[in-house]
């Protein structure tokens, strides 16, 4: 019996040593991820904090009990350049007032910069972001979610450029006068409207990034055909994980986006990441829509609770975000993917380990675990988006410079 006992003791010893080594390795990687998060520029192209504060004001210079963004947690997570979403709900297309609402929300973000100048400043260029990064101040960039505030007037593209807007999501949940929407089955334009094509050209000319998140596939392919500059998907994930969900991008679209030197910024919302989650959430929304119920209606809540009891939601973690990033990297390389969380836009439906802006180091940790190089992680965290933004600035400059005529 003795040799056998000795053998099992040895196995135990080796297992313990291995576990200890694994634990140490994990601790080291977590420390490294934390360091990299503060060493690299982290850009997140979609944070819905302005609309959240419009609904209920909070002092975001302090740690807030609610929401996914405040400056304290942003600094903890190493976030440097959040794009503040200037979100205009779809109903403004018919009722009007979209431009006025956009102005109000832009005023609010300017108010953050005026109120807390040591913490943050508005950024309207790549050089603003890099300079303010060195100064240790957050760069508040502006992205307008929905082209409705253009209000049929092409000169409003320039107007919003002058107000600091640096990307425009052409449509939101329903079609508008610019484009069809992925969520809207009425495909009135079969892609972009004739005016929408002019809007894309004008955005190229003034230097606003075209955002293809939310638009229909046909509209995406039209943008790809006509845009003279690379484009972004500010908060979309990979359709390969959520079959049939048009709001995410198919492999074919990601390949074309990369060919055009654009970038897909991965959405952290659970239903964007996990197919089963997407199906369950989709069924709930379609029930609510059919029965004309709002999410918080008692009747809706009774239905949702029972439905979720019968169809439990799958667990989604920060590793799922890394899996989407990895999918894009395997498809087209590490130059065409970044982070577009949708924080403050998807409620509590966020992955474990990625609940707010203090958690970006967890994404880096997952990428380190997959063996990603520091250089590739730096690109994914922010350099890819800055590269696209620079190319958009350059294209605008070229389009605005009159061609030299030979004498
Ligand atoms: Zn959105």
């Amino acid at each position: 019996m003795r040799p056998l006992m000795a053998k099992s003791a040895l196995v135990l010893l080796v297992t313990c040593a291995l576990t200890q080594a694994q634990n140490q390795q994990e601790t080291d990687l977590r420390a490294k991820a934390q360091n990299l998060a503060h060493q690299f520029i982290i850009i997140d192209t979609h944070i819905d904090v302005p609309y959240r504060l419009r609904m209920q004001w909070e002092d975001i210079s302090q740690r807030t009990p609610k929401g996914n963004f405040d400056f304290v947690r942003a600094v903890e997570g190493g976030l440097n350049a959040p794009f503040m979403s200037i979100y205009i709900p779809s109903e403004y297309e018919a009722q009007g007032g979209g431009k006025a609402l956009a102005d109000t929300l832009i005023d609010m973000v300017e108010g953050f910069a005026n109120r807390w100048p040591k913490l943050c400043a508005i950024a309207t260029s790549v050089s603003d972001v890099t300079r303010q990064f060195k100064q240790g101040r957050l760069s508040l960039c502006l992205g307008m979610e929905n082209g409705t505030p253009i209000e049929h007037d092409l000169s409003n593209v320039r107007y919003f450029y002058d107000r600091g807007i640096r990307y425009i999501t052409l449509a939101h949940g329903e079609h508008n006068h610019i484009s069809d929407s992925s969520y809207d089955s009425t495909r009135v334009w079969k892609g972009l409207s004739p005016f929408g094509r002019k809007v894309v050209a004008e955005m190229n000319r003034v230097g606003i990034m075209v955002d293809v998140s939310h638009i229909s596939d046909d509209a995406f392919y039209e943008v790809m055909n006509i845009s003279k500059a690379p484009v972004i998907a500010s908060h979309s994930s990979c359709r390969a994980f959520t079959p049939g969900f048009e709001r995410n991008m198919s492999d074919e679209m990601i390949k074309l986006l990369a060919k055009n030197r654009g970038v897909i910024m991965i959405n952290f919302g659970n239903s964007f990441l996990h197919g089963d989650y997407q199906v369950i959430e989709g069924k709930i929304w379609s029930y609510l829509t059919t029965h004309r119920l709002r999410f918080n209606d008692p009747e809706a809540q009774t239905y949702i609770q029972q439905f979720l009891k019968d169809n439990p939601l799958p667990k989604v973690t920060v590793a799922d975000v890394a899996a989407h990033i990895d999918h894009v990297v395997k498809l087209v390389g590490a130059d065409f993917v970044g982070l577009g969380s949708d924080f403050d836009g998807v409620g509590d439906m966020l992955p474990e380990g990625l609940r707010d802006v203090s958690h970006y180091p967890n994404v880096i940790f997952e990428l380190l675990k997959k063996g990603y190089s520091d250089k590739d992680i730096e690109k994914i965290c922010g350099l890819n988006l800055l590269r696209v933004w620079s190319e958009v600035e350059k294209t605008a400059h070229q389009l605005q410079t009159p061609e030299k005529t030979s004498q």
Side-chain angles (χ1 to χ4, degrees), residues 46 48 85 87 145-146 167 169 171-173 183 211 213-214 234-236 247 267 272 342 345-346:
H46 203 82
D48 268 308
S85 173
Y87 162 59
E145 186 174 31
N146 199 348
Y167 79 68
T169 319
H172 190 251
Y183 285 142
D211 178 16
S213 285
H214 277 291
S234 71
H235 58 309
S236 293
R247 179 65 184 78
N267 190 312
F272 290 79
D342 219 346
V346 288

Side-chain angles (χ1 to χ4, degrees), residues 44-47 235 266-269 339-343 346 350 360:
D44 185 326
T45 42
H46 203 82
I47 297 191
H235 58 309
I266 300 297
N267 190 312
F268 299 172
L339 311 172
S341 64
D342 219 346
F343 279 143
V346 288
L350 286 159
Y360 298 102

Side-chain angles (χ1 to χ4, degrees), residues 52-181:
R52 169 187 142 208
L53 297 194
R54 181 173 189 262
M55 304 310 280
Q56 191 180 6
W57 175 258
E58 283 176 283
D59 177 359
I60 52 168
S61 70
Q62 309 294 318
R63 191 183 297 273
T64 57
K66 281 188 261 165
N68 312 127
F69 177 95
D70 57 56
F71 286 103
V72 180
R73 286 180 286 169
V75 169
E76 282 172 7
L79 176 62
N80 303 107
F83 273 76
M84 300 276 107
S85 173
I86 304 303
Y87 162 59
I88 311 300
S90 295
E91 54 265 30
Y92 281 78
E93 180 73 14
Q95 77 189 35
K99 186 178 176 188
L101 175 59
D103 275 329
T104 307
L105 294 170
I106 296 168
D107 290 346
M108 182 198 284
V109 179
E110 286 179 345
F112 301 160
N114 293 334
R115 204 171 292 129
W116 306 303
K118 283 188 184 147
L119 283 176
C120 63
I122 301 284
T124 58
S125 64
V126 172
S127 60
D128 282 352
V129 172
T130 47
R131 189 185 63 253
Q132 284 158 198
F133 171 68
K134 285 177 196 148
Q135 294 169 344
R137 290 197 295 172
L138 258 84
S139 284
L140 303 179
C141 313
L142 295 166
M144 193 157 79
E145 186 174 31
N146 199 348
T148 282
I150 303 297
E151 295 186 346
H152 303 267
D153 180 352
L154 212 54
S155 71
N156 278 330
V157 175
R158 176 78 211 194
Y159 172 83
F160 281 113
Y161 177 87
D162 290 339
R163 289 236 54 195
I165 294 289
R166 287 301 177 267
Y167 79 68
I168 298 176
T169 319
L170 300 178
H172 190 251
E174 291 172 21
H175 76 268
N176 60 18
H177 62 293
I178 294 169
S179 175
D180 286 339
S181 156

Side-chain angles (χ1 to χ4, degrees), residues 183-287:
Y183 285 142
D184 185 346
S185 56
T186 51
R187 300 294 157 106
V188 287
W189 306 115
K190 311 236 175 323
L192 296 177
S193 70
F195 178 72
R197 288 192 277 276
K198 288 184 191 164
V199 168
V200 170
E202 182 65 359
M203 286 168 74
N204 285 164
R205 199 186 67 81
V206 304
I208 295 182
M209 290 181 273
V210 177
D211 178 16
V212 297
S213 285
H214 277 291
I215 63 175
S216 66
D217 284 4
D218 287 342
F220 165 80
Y221 286 112
E222 235 183 309
V223 169
M224 287 292 106
N225 272 336
I226 61 175
S227 180
K228 292 194 167 73
V231 310
I232 66 167
S234 71
H235 58 309
S236 293
S237 303
C238 306
R239 203 180 295 172
F241 295 80
T242 57
F245 183 44
E246 196 179 349
R247 179 65 184 78
N248 278 344
M249 295 185 81
S250 70
D251 288 358
E252 185 195 332
M253 291 161 80
I254 293 168
K255 282 183 193 164
L256 191 57
L257 182 85
K259 203 172 154 208
N260 270 31
R261 303 188 48 72
V263 62
I264 171 171
M265 310 296 280
I266 300 297
N267 190 312
F268 299 172
N270 287 346
S271 63
F272 290 79
L273 298 172
H274 199 296
D276 295 344
Y277 202 106
Q278 209 290 311
V279 169
I280 292 170
E281 202 190 281
K283 282 184 180 162
I284 290 174
W285 280 116
S286 99
Y287 179 89

